[in-house]
Amino acid sequence: MRQPELTPLASSASLPEPGIMGRGLGGLFFVLALAIFGFSLYNAAHAAGVAGTHGTLTVERCWVKQGSRSSSDTTVCGGTFRSDDGKITDDEASIRAKVKSGSKVSVQQAGGSYVRVGFGETTRWIALFFLGWLVVAFGMSFVATGRFPRSGMQVAMITRAVSGTRVGAVRKWFVGVGLAGSGVCLLLTLLAWLLS
């Protein structure tokens, strides 16, 4: 019995022409990655206790905040925040968490919001930082080739077009660091959660 020949990926669809749209798409991924880096490092610094004002949130009640179609529901607990030095009190403090009423939660004040403090919380935010590396890696192919994909097949073809080049090597390194870093951080987060 004769096996069917495998057709190369390039024969099933054609690559779009290089242009400003492809480079713009890649640039958009870089901007998104910068936002992820900033957001995750800001929250990681607060969760580690490096930035912000440390204190305790005494939980008075919890409620479910309805999510939109694209996001799930979130449990929010609110109560009174008191800083360790006693200078700051906020009766309308809240955090995204599911804890019992009357619980005292160690938090860090981050501007107008509050972030839970602890090793598990810090590693969770650092995991998000490493996921930003994957966003950068995804955008590299579009910046390097200038090609704007119009289908999932074209995304795969554009990614394949940079393999074997310097951009491909750097992209592979970014993917490896992003996956390894986020995997280790999520594992540490899970261990911290299991041990608490």
Side-chain angles (χ1 to χ4, degrees):
M1 182 167 148
R2 186 175 170 213
Q3 295 286 339
E5 288 186 33
L6 297 174
T7 58
L9 186 61
S11 67
S12 59
S14 61
L15 279 171
E17 290 297 317
I20 191 78
M21 293 271 296
R23 297 201 196 289
L25 178 63
L28 183 66
F29 280 106
F30 290 162
V31 170
L32 177 62
L34 286 174
I36 291 170
F37 293 150
F39 181 72
S40 61
L41 290 176
Y42 177 82
N43 284 302
H46 284 85
V50 176
T53 303
H54 188 268
T56 304
L57 174 70
T58 305
V59 177
E60 296 165 3
R61 64 185 179 95
C62 294
W63 63 93
V64 175
K65 186 177 179 182
Q66 299 294 322
S68 62
R69 282 189 229 159
S70 61
S71 65
S72 60
D73 296 345
T74 305
T75 302
V76 178
C77 292
T80 303
F81 169 78
R82 283 192 175 72
S83 62
D84 289 346
D85 60 10
K87 294 180 179 177
I88 301 171
T89 302
D90 182 359
D91 294 331
E92 296 180 11
S94 64
I95 56 169
R96 289 185 193 185
K98 189 173 185 178
V99 292
K100 295 179 183 176
S101 293
S103 298
K104 294 185 183 279
V105 181
S106 180
V107 296
Q108 202 80 356
Q109 188 179 37
S113 63
Y114 298 87
V115 177
R116 290 181 79 167
V117 176
F119 180 76
E121 291 296 315
T122 304
T123 56
R124 184 171 66 96
W125 288 112
I126 295 172
L128 180 63
F129 171 81
F130 282 110
L131 289 176
W133 285 55
L134 298 176
V135 174
V136 170
F138 190 72
M140 281 182 182
S141 301
F142 307 120
V143 169
T145 63
R147 299 178 190 273
F148 186 84
R150 300 210 181 345
S151 69
M153 180 66 75
Q154 287 182 345
V155 170
M157 290 169 59
I158 292 167
T159 302
R160 182 179 277 185
V162 298
S163 64
T165 66
R166 282 188 210 159
V167 172
V170 172
R171 183 181 180 282
K172 191 180 285 188
W173 187 80
F174 265 72
V175 168
V177 170
L179 288 174
S182 60
V184 167
C185 288
L186 290 174
L187 180 63
L188 291 173
T189 301
L190 178 64
L191 289 174
W193 179 75
L194 290 173
L195 295 174
S196 64

